[in-house]
């Protein structure tokens, strides 16, 4: 299971193991889902995704 999921619509990256109801992951469209290789927050940030404040914080 991937650790991080990016939403290309909002440009937010979520930590799946810590996701909250308000992250609305289930509302992310398939075409907007971005997984990362390597599956790290640093890699997501380097691809211009911002950490979700609900499940990652600052
Ligand atoms: Zn989140």
């Amino acid at each position: 299971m991937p650790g991080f999921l990016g939403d290309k619509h909002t440009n937010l990256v979520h930590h799946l193991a810590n996701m909250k109801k308000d992250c609305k992951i289930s509302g992310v469209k398939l075409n907007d889902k971005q997984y990362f290789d390597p599956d790290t927050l640093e890699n997501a940030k380097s691809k211009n995704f911002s950490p979700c404040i609900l499940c990652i914080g600052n």
Side-chain angles (χ1 to χ4, degrees), residues 11-42:
N11 257 15
L12 291 174
V13 55
H14 300 276
H15 187 192
L16 292 175
N18 194 37
M19 68 175 179
K20 307 291 189 266
K21 194 172 66 176
D22 286 344
C23 289
K24 297 189 166 64
I25 303 265
S26 60
V28 180
K29 295 188 176 75
L30 200 58
N31 285 343
D32 287 334
K33 289 186 177 180
Q34 172 73 62
Y35 295 101
F36 303 100
D37 182 18
D39 190 13
T40 64
L41 182 58
E42 287 69 25

